[in-house]
mmCIF file of all heavy atoms in Angstrom:
data_model
loop_
_atom_site.group_PDB
_atom_site.id
_atom_site.type_symbol
_atom_site.label_atom_id
_atom_site.label_comp_id
_atom_site.label_asym_id
_atom_site.label_seq_id
_atom_site.Cartn_x
_atom_site.Cartn_y
_atom_site.Cartn_z
ATOM 1 N N ILE A 403 -3.011 16.375 19.487
ATOM 2 C CA ILE A 403 -2.898 15.087 20.174
ATOM 3 C C ILE A 403 -4.084 14.210 19.785
ATOM 4 O O ILE A 403 -5.232 14.661 19.817
ATOM 5 C CB ILE A 403 -2.899 15.285 21.704
ATOM 6 C CG1 ILE A 403 -1.739 16.183 22.139
ATOM 7 C CG2 ILE A 403 -2.842 13.936 22.425
ATOM 8 C CD1 ILE A 403 -1.834 16.627 23.601
ATOM 9 N N PHE A 404 -3.823 12.965 19.420
ATOM 10 C CA PHE A 404 -4.881 11.975 19.242
ATOM 11 C C PHE A 404 -4.714 10.893 20.301
ATOM 12 O O PHE A 404 -3.596 10.436 20.569
ATOM 13 C CB PHE A 404 -4.857 11.362 17.841
ATOM 14 C CG PHE A 404 -5.526 12.225 16.819
ATOM 15 C CD1 PHE A 404 -4.788 13.112 16.054
ATOM 16 C CD2 PHE A 404 -6.901 12.178 16.635
ATOM 17 C CE1 PHE A 404 -5.402 13.930 15.123
ATOM 18 C CE2 PHE A 404 -7.527 12.997 15.710
ATOM 19 C CZ PHE A 404 -6.775 13.877 14.946
ATOM 20 N N THR A 405 -5.830 10.509 20.907
ATOM 21 C CA THR A 405 -5.807 9.477 21.932
ATOM 22 C C THR A 405 -6.656 8.296 21.500
ATOM 23 O O THR A 405 -7.633 8.447 20.764
ATOM 24 C CB THR A 405 -6.348 10.003 23.275
ATOM 25 O OG1 THR A 405 -7.727 10.382 23.122
ATOM 26 C CG2 THR A 405 -5.557 11.202 23.758
ATOM 27 N N THR A 406 -6.279 7.121 21.956
ATOM 28 C CA THR A 406 -7.071 5.917 21.734
ATOM 29 C C THR A 406 -6.598 4.839 22.698
ATOM 30 O O THR A 406 -5.425 4.827 23.098
ATOM 31 C CB THR A 406 -6.943 5.408 20.288
ATOM 32 O OG1 THR A 406 -7.772 4.253 20.111
ATOM 33 C CG2 THR A 406 -5.520 5.038 19.923
ATOM 34 N N ALA A 407 -7.501 3.969 23.092
ATOM 35 C CA ALA A 407 -7.069 2.755 23.780
ATOM 36 C C ALA A 407 -6.285 1.917 22.784
ATOM 37 O O ALA A 407 -6.589 1.901 21.596
ATOM 38 C CB ALA A 407 -8.269 1.994 24.312
ATOM 39 N N SER A 408 -5.283 1.192 23.223
ATOM 40 C CA SER A 408 -4.418 0.456 22.293
ATOM 41 C C SER A 408 -5.130 -0.733 21.656
ATOM 42 O O SER A 408 -4.700 -1.220 20.604
ATOM 43 C CB SER A 408 -3.144 -0.006 22.998
ATOM 44 O OG SER A 408 -3.451 -0.909 24.050
ATOM 45 N N THR A 409 -6.211 -1.217 22.285
ATOM 46 C CA THR A 409 -6.990 -2.311 21.707
ATOM 47 C C THR A 409 -8.479 -2.016 21.843
ATOM 48 O O THR A 409 -8.890 -1.160 22.615
ATOM 49 C CB THR A 409 -6.697 -3.661 22.391
ATOM 50 O OG1 THR A 409 -7.073 -3.579 23.772
ATOM 51 C CG2 THR A 409 -5.238 -4.054 22.263
ATOM 52 N N ALA A 410 -9.267 -2.754 21.075
ATOM 53 C CA ALA A 410 -10.722 -2.677 21.152
ATOM 54 C C ALA A 410 -11.285 -4.092 21.088
ATOM 55 O O ALA A 410 -10.561 -5.050 20.814
ATOM 56 C CB ALA A 410 -11.271 -1.827 20.012
ATOM 57 N N LYS A 411 -12.579 -4.215 21.344
ATOM 58 C CA LYS A 411 -13.262 -5.514 21.304
ATOM 59 C C LYS A 411 -12.548 -6.543 22.186
ATOM 60 O O LYS A 411 -12.235 -7.648 21.759
ATOM 61 C CB LYS A 411 -13.377 -6.033 19.869
ATOM 62 C CG LYS A 411 -14.259 -5.197 18.951
ATOM 63 C CD LYS A 411 -15.719 -5.360 19.270
ATOM 64 C CE LYS A 411 -16.607 -4.611 18.283
ATOM 65 N NZ LYS A 411 -18.031 -4.688 18.615
ATOM 66 N N ARG A 412 -12.246 -6.104 23.413
ATOM 67 C CA ARG A 412 -11.596 -6.990 24.404
ATOM 68 C C ARG A 412 -10.297 -7.578 23.874
ATOM 69 O O ARG A 412 -9.973 -8.745 24.137
ATOM 70 C CB ARG A 412 -12.547 -8.101 24.835
ATOM 71 C CG ARG A 412 -13.797 -7.573 25.537
ATOM 72 C CD ARG A 412 -14.682 -8.694 25.985
ATOM 73 N NE ARG A 412 -15.862 -8.168 26.680
ATOM 74 C CZ ARG A 412 -17.054 -8.714 26.605
ATOM 75 N NH1 ARG A 412 -17.244 -9.791 25.871
ATOM 76 N NH2 ARG A 412 -18.070 -8.203 27.263
ATOM 77 N N GLY A 413 -9.562 -6.779 23.149
ATOM 78 C CA GLY A 413 -8.259 -7.201 22.668
ATOM 79 C C GLY A 413 -8.256 -7.844 21.295
ATOM 80 O O GLY A 413 -7.190 -8.157 20.755
ATOM 81 N N ALA A 414 -9.419 -8.040 20.701
ATOM 82 C CA ALA A 414 -9.492 -8.673 19.381
ATOM 83 C C ALA A 414 -9.035 -7.731 18.264
ATOM 84 O O ALA A 414 -8.672 -8.186 17.175
ATOM 85 C CB ALA A 414 -10.912 -9.156 19.099
ATOM 86 N N ILE A 415 -9.074 -6.447 18.528
ATOM 87 C CA ILE A 415 -8.657 -5.447 17.547
ATOM 88 C C ILE A 415 -7.502 -4.647 18.108
ATOM 89 O O ILE A 415 -7.554 -4.186 19.258
ATOM 90 C CB ILE A 415 -9.820 -4.491 17.195
ATOM 91 C CG1 ILE A 415 -10.903 -5.237 16.409
ATOM 92 C CG2 ILE A 415 -9.342 -3.287 16.402
ATOM 93 C CD1 ILE A 415 -12.127 -4.384 16.102
#
Side-chain angles (χ1 to χ4, degrees):
I403 301 169
F404 279 94
T405 63
T406 182
S408 63
T409 62
K411 295 287 184 183
R412 297 182 179 145
I415 291 176

